[in-house]
Amino acid sequence: FQLSPSQINDILRAGELSHKILDLNGKSANSVLRFESNQLASNTPIEDRRSAATCLQTKGMMFGVFDGHAGSACAQAVSERLLHYIAVSLMSRQTLEEIELAVECMKPVLPILQPHKHPNDTGFQEITSRYFENLRVYWQHLLDLDTELGFSLEEAMICAFKRLDSDISLEVQAPQENELMRNIALQVAFSGATACVAHVDGVHLHVANTGDCRAVLGVHEEDGTWSTLPLTRDHNACDEFEIRRLKREHPRSEEKTLFVNDRLLGILMPSRAFGDVQLKWSKELQHSILDSSCDVEALNIFQYVPPNYHTPPYLTAEPEVTYHKLRSKDKFLVIASDGLWELLSNEKVVKLVAGHLAELNVQKPQLAFEKPVNLGYMHSLLLQRKNRGIASLDQNIATHLIRHAIGSNEYGEVDQEKLAAMLTLPEDLARMYRDDITVTVVYFNSESIENYYRNNE
């Protein structure tokens, strides 16, 4: 089954999302210039999710990539909810009180986020009110803390991640009359998701990461070269810090069984994740929840207690938060699920984005003739022009990265035949060659970053 170039483009571009940031004067004063995002499924349905939003009650923008496993339910819930939990954690006491008063008086509530969504980014409509109620319980808890200072950004992100994971766990334990809502809660809790979220406020960039999504900064050095600055660490069995952390948290008798075949308890690749309650709850709690009139098979719930399951929890959703103060040479941030990083290195990704930026900045030059003109020289000029046309085929940089990730040959060039083959693999084979891929690239406004330093010297 052969795909034409236009059919390949239609498939690759179906999930494209881009958003340019403008202020009232039509010029961007924000440190974020624009962002571009895309995703390509390997699983059916895709288990990855993404989020992007402008914070309306606090400053800043947020971007998240979520990689689901054992189904898409957990990634879906986390993508819908996590940015709200972070935004609420950052609000002043006064704003939280105003929102609480509006809810009590049944008046319109101040909007918390302005989401930037793709038309396909739909959610669990049936359970939105339940999610809002639990978000409200969270901000009531924050009001009860009786602290005037509030959280630092790092504390806010850590608290939001942990609180949402706790809510996911508690929602499935609460008595539930509505069968549909109970089933969704079960699927969310018993599937899992890793998460990487960036918060950008002026020159302040914070990245919170749980699991093996990754965030990488593209830096344009003064000598014209590009360098790569990783802002996250993959939480898995290949990471020495994670191995040591888990060994500290469990008895010495379990040292040899914590990681089996480079997987947590022989089951899970990432060592941090939302959901996955089968690696967090006691065996007794799991049985009591699943045995009470729950059709595990119909809900596709993976039920397996590993042989060395002695001292849960083995898994945490607590993120690592990295802070970076943006400089004018920091040009873009790439956040992506591990489907991209399995196929392209950090350096290759930065090189591809940088090359794409250069392509967009250079207008198509006129053919310059050297005298005397010969056919070989004309041929090479035309080839250069043709290659430039191919390179700038994708307006969306996330599409460009996905195209290279699945279609590159051993020379790093896109092979149309390989690309077509990878896009037409049957569902059961596709997962053997690649994972779901989700990419968001955030471009920074060097001018507004320079202005910040000029005004704050």
Side-chain angles (χ1 to χ4, degrees), residues 310-322:
H310 305 300
T311 54
Y314 290 93
L315 199 59
T316 178
E318 181 168 342
E320 264 189 315
V321 180
T322 307

Side-chain angles (χ1 to χ4, degrees), residues 374-409:
N374 63 45
L375 278 174
Y377 178 66
M378 284 294 290
H379 181 66
S380 73
L381 277 178
L382 289 166
L383 266 181
Q384 282 174 29
R385 173 179 278 191
K386 185 184 175 192
N387 286 337
R388 268 197 295 272
I390 291 168
S392 54
L393 184 68
D394 296 308
Q395 290 303 306
N396 186 306
I397 185 59
T399 309
H400 188 65
L401 289 173
I402 293 170
R403 188 186 295 273
H404 276 266
I406 64 167
S408 284
N409 59 22

Side-chain angles (χ1 to χ4, degrees), residues 317-334:
E318 181 168 342
E320 264 189 315
V321 180
T322 307
Y323 170 69
H324 178 79
K325 195 168 187 181
L326 291 169
R327 309 153 297 181
S328 57
K329 65 179 183 176
D330 298 325
K331 299 301 180 185
F332 56 84
L333 175 72
V334 182

Side-chain angles (χ1 to χ4, degrees), residues 254 257 260 264-267 279 283 304-311 314:
E254 293 186 58
T257 57
V260 179
L264 182 62
L265 297 183
I267 294 178
L279 294 178
K283 294 178 191 175
Y304 171 70
V305 178
N308 297 293
Y309 195 78
H310 305 300
T311 54
Y314 290 93

Side-chain angles (χ1 to χ4, degrees), residues 118-397:
H118 187 273
N120 294 349
D121 295 346
T122 52
F124 292 134
Q125 297 303 321
E126 309 84 358
I127 206 163
T128 305
S129 59
R130 162 64 65 87
Y131 287 168
F132 181 78
E133 279 306 311
N134 285 346
L135 182 66
R136 184 187 180 191
V137 171
Y138 177 45
W139 79 57
Q140 287 171 338
H141 162 72
L142 294 176
L143 286 168
D144 288 342
L145 290 178
D146 200 31
T147 54
E148 285 304 321
L149 291 172
F151 291 134
S152 69
L153 227 149
E154 181 177 350
E155 289 167 338
M157 293 179 102
I158 291 171
C159 193
F161 272 63
K162 289 167 75 173
R163 176 65 184 224
L164 176 55
D165 193 51
S166 169
D167 282 357
I168 285 169
S169 177
L170 291 171
E171 282 159 11
V172 72
Q173 296 174 57
Q176 181 59 258
E177 294 295 315
N178 184 312
E179 190 184 353
L180 175 65
M181 284 169 72
R182 174 176 168 73
N183 288 348
I184 290 173
L186 278 160
Q187 287 178 315
V188 169
F190 280 87
S191 59
T194 63
C196 186
V197 175
H199 182 284
V200 189
D201 174 13
V203 296
H204 305 294
L205 168 63
H206 290 80
V207 178
N209 184 53
T210 285
D212 52 9
C213 293
R214 200 181 291 174
V216 171
L217 203 60
V219 184
H220 199 199
E221 302 292 354
E222 286 172 15
D223 63 1
T225 60
W226 285 88
S227 65
T228 304
L229 181 63
L231 295 178
T232 56
R233 177 167 72 79
D234 295 354
H235 298 136
N236 57 30
C238 301
D239 185 85
E240 284 298 321
F241 290 102
E242 285 299 280
I243 292 169
R244 286 204 293 272
R245 176 182 69 80
L246 274 144
K247 284 182 176 177
R248 277 197 310 272
E249 292 172 4
H250 297 277
R252 289 193 68 175
S253 58
E254 293 186 58
E255 277 192 7
K256 287 189 169 63
T257 57
L258 280 172
F259 290 99
V260 179
N261 299 328
D262 288 339
R263 289 173 178 261
L264 182 62
L265 297 183
I267 294 178
L268 198 62
M269 289 284 282
S271 56
R272 302 192 192 197
F274 283 90
D276 289 316
V277 292
Q278 59 273 51
L279 294 178
K280 294 174 180 173
W281 289 355
S282 68
K283 294 178 191 175
E284 294 74 25
L285 179 55
Q286 290 184 50
H287 288 310
S288 70
I289 295 295
L290 292 176
D291 293 347
S292 56
S293 66
C294 161
D295 189 342
V296 174
E297 213 169 297
L299 295 175
N300 280 330
I301 289 175
F302 177 61
Q303 219 182 348
Y304 171 70
V305 178
N308 297 293
Y309 195 78
H310 305 300
T311 54
Y314 290 93
L315 199 59
T316 178
E318 181 168 342
E320 264 189 315
V321 180
T322 307
Y323 170 69
H324 178 79
K325 195 168 187 181
L326 291 169
R327 309 153 297 181
S328 57
K329 65 179 183 176
D330 298 325
K331 299 301 180 185
F332 56 84
L333 175 72
V334 182
I335 311 171
S337 57
D338 68 337
L340 182 77
W341 308 112
E342 285 168 359
L343 299 169
L344 296 175
S345 67
N346 294 358
E347 292 72 22
K348 181 65 177 173
V349 165
V350 167
K351 189 179 173 186
L352 283 167
V353 180
H356 195 262
L357 267 178
E359 278 288 334
L360 293 177
N361 291 338
V362 174
Q363 294 299 314
K364 188 181 280 190
Q366 297 299 311
L367 284 177
F369 297 120
E370 282 180 10
K371 292 179 182 175
V373 175
N374 63 45
L375 278 174
Y377 178 66
M378 284 294 290
H379 181 66
S380 73
L381 277 178
L382 289 166
L383 266 181
Q384 282 174 29
R385 173 179 278 191
K386 185 184 175 192
N387 286 337
R388 268 197 295 272
I390 291 168
S392 54
L393 184 68
D394 296 308
Q395 290 303 306
N396 186 306
I397 185 59

